[in-house]
């Protein structure tokens, strides 16, 4: 080994030692009390206004929530709601009305909300076949759809518990004796319509068994256009969730009385679930949700409080 090689190796060991001992040249800011106090004040003065603006946007959203699963059960059947919902001979039509508390600017989004419904259950989430949804019955890998994959030795399209339990309550809105048209197009994500559900895949042998789970599908419409199904198939992570039903594209004025004629078809009584109808406007931030604004205000207020405490400590007992 030459002297040059030895020198190179020594330099490498020296550089490695400097790295491991954290002795390399670097920027090492000294956190003096003044810097710490100014940093917390800066965070507070930024976060608090952002939080207040966010809360203002959330409070500008007008939201109407009406629970209907109990009120839409006739009085004689409220002792045994499960028997009522499973008896096809009993009519399920129902009406409810509400008064608009504030001016609601179009578009007004219609959601159905389900509570105590665990779409995140592992077996429920896995009970689907994404290949079948995209390519149809040419795909034979539907074992993941158990227990709803085959009926009368023929495949079910779409298979699985998620599709089988499709929400099937319907809503019609009346104002001043005139029906408010509900736009039910483009309620699903464009990426889902274009890349997850086939344009040449049609429902087949669906809900033809002895046990019917939820809604039925039109066998002449491809899955990519069955937007109710597409919205439902995007499962929720929480037991209380909302899914988009449609949009009302007319403004609603203050004190307008809206009558809703609905079909109470969906069974949530077997597991103690709740059903709610939600009408909501939106802001530049989205729907009504105070959490983000409150989080900003809390963090900003905490930072200002810490800065004040540090200032008092620094003034009363400064570091020498």
């Amino acid at each position: 080994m030459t002297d040059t090689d030895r020198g190179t190796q020594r330099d490498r060991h020296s550089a490695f030692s400097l790295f491991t001992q954290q002795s390399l040249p670097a920027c090492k800011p000294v956190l003096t009390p003044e810097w710490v106090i100014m940093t917390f004040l800066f965070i507070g003065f930024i976060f608090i206004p952002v939080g207040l603006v966010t809360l203002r946007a959330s409070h500008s959203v007008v939201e109407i929530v009406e629970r209907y699963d109990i009120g839409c059960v006739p009085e004689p059947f409220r002792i045994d709601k499960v028997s009522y919902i499973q008896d096809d001979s009993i009519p399920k039509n129902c009406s409810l009305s509400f008064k608009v508390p504030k001016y609601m600017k179009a578009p007004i989004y219609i959601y159905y909300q389900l509570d105590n419904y665990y779409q995140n259950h592992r077996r429920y989430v896995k009970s689907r076949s994404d290949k079948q949804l995209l390519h149809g019955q040419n795909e034979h890998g539907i074992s993941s759809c158990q227990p709803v994959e085959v009926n009368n030795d023929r495949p079910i399209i779409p298979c699985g518990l998620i599709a089988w339990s499709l929400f099937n309550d319907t809503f019609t809105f009346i104002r001043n004796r005139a029906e408010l048209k509900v736009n039910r197009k483009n309620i699903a994500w464009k990426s889902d319509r274009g890349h997850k559900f086939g344009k040449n895949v049609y429902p087949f042998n669906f809900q033809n068994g002895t046990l019917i789970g939820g809604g039925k599908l039109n066998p002449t419409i491809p899955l990519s256009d069955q937007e109710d199904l597409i919205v439902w198939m995007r499962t929720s992570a929480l037991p209380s969730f909302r899914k988009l039903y449609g949009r009302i594209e007319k403004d609603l004025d203050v004190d307008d009385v809206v009558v809703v004629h609905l079909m109470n078809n969906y069974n949530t009584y077997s597991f103690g679930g709740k059903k709610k109808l939600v009408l909501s406007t939106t802001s530049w931030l989205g729907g009504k949700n105070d959490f983000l604004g409150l989080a900003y205000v809390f963090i900003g207020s905490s930072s200002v409080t810490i800065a004040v405490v540090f200032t008092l400590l620094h003034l009363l007992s400064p570091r020498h």
Side-chain angles (χ1 to χ4, degrees):
M1 182 179 292
T2 64
D3 293 339
T4 303
D5 294 335
R6 290 192 186 94
T8 302
Q9 189 174 8
R10 192 182 306 110
D11 292 341
R12 288 176 180 173
H13 283 300
S14 177
F16 182 73
S17 177
L18 290 173
F19 176 75
T20 55
Q21 297 301 319
Q22 297 188 12
S23 300
L24 290 172
C27 178
K28 298 179 181 179
V30 179
L31 295 178
T32 62
E34 291 81 3
W35 270 107
V36 173
I37 292 169
M38 292 302 297
T39 301
F40 277 113
L41 286 176
F42 177 77
I43 293 173
F45 291 152
I46 294 297
F47 274 52
I48 291 176
V50 171
L52 294 176
V53 171
T54 305
L55 282 174
R56 181 181 177 86
S58 177
H59 290 168
S60 69
V61 173
V62 183
E63 186 175 273
I64 301 172
V65 181
E66 294 286 338
R67 181 179 176 183
Y68 66 90
D69 57 297
I70 301 297
C72 283
V73 178
E75 193 70 36
F77 298 99
R78 291 187 181 179
I79 300 175
D80 190 359
K81 303 181 187 67
V82 176
S83 299
Y84 157 77
I85 201 70
Q86 292 178 345
D87 191 343
D88 293 336
S89 64
I90 303 174
K92 304 298 189 300
N93 56 301
C94 174
S95 295
L96 59 91
S97 62
F98 54 83
K99 183 178 289 187
V100 178
K102 295 181 180 180
Y103 172 73
M104 301 182 74
K105 182 176 176 58
I108 301 168
Y109 293 89
I110 306 168
Y111 302 89
Y112 55 87
Q113 177 176 326
L114 299 179
D115 297 331
N116 198 36
Y117 194 120
Y118 288 83
Q119 273 197 320
N120 59 352
H121 192 284
R122 181 172 179 270
R123 187 176 183 186
Y124 185 88
V125 172
K126 290 181 63 178
S127 185
R128 61 185 292 164
S129 173
D130 291 326
K131 291 184 178 179
Q132 187 206 60
L133 293 172
L134 187 59
H135 302 292
Q137 57 184 333
N138 293 329
E139 295 292 335
H140 300 290
I142 58 174
S143 59
S144 61
C145 290
Q146 292 181 355
V148 190
E149 75 276 18
V150 175
N151 181 39
N152 294 327
D153 297 326
R154 295 183 298 171
I156 298 173
I157 301 177
C159 66
L161 285 171
I162 306 177
W164 176 79
S165 60
L166 175 64
F167 186 82
N168 62 339
D169 285 3
T170 59
F171 309 96
T172 303
F173 297 85
I174 307 294
R175 180 186 63 173
N176 298 330
R177 299 183 180 180
E179 181 177 346
L180 291 169
K181 292 185 178 180
V182 178
N183 185 355
R184 308 205 61 199
K185 295 291 185 181
N186 299 321
I187 61 174
W189 290 16
K190 185 177 180 180
S191 57
D192 287 354
R193 300 196 308 266
H195 303 291
K196 292 187 177 181
F197 293 80
K199 296 181 179 179
N200 297 314
V201 182
Y202 294 85
F204 175 76
N205 199 25
F206 184 71
Q207 301 286 27
N208 288 336
T210 55
L211 185 60
I212 305 299
K216 297 186 177 182
L217 298 174
N218 189 335
T220 63
I221 299 177
L223 294 186
S224 61
D225 293 335
Q226 305 261 11
E227 296 199 45
D228 279 343
L229 173 69
I230 298 173
V231 170
W232 181 256
M233 294 291 287
R234 183 168 283 277
T235 54
S236 172
L238 300 175
S240 179
F241 58 87
R242 296 176 179 179
K243 292 186 182 290
L244 186 59
Y245 180 84
R247 296 182 301 275
I248 296 175
E249 296 180 339
K250 287 186 177 181
D251 297 348
L252 295 179
D253 295 322
V254 182
D255 294 333
D256 274 354
V257 176
V258 178
V259 179
V260 184
H261 299 304
L262 61 90
M263 294 297 294
N264 182 29
N265 297 316
Y266 200 70
N267 182 11
T268 58
Y269 308 106
S270 299
F271 52 89
K274 301 176 183 178
K275 296 190 290 186
K276 298 175 183 177
L277 175 65
V278 181
L279 271 68
S280 176
T281 59
T282 58
S283 68
W284 60 269
L285 197 61
K288 189 177 185 65
N289 190 343
D290 292 344
F291 175 78
L292 185 61
L294 292 174
Y296 271 109
V297 172
F298 175 77
I299 294 173
S301 302
S302 300
S303 298
V304 172
T305 303
I306 293 172
V308 171
V309 171
F310 281 3
T311 301
L312 294 176
L313 291 174
H314 180 59
L315 293 176
L316 295 175
S317 57
R319 297 169 64 183
H320 299 291

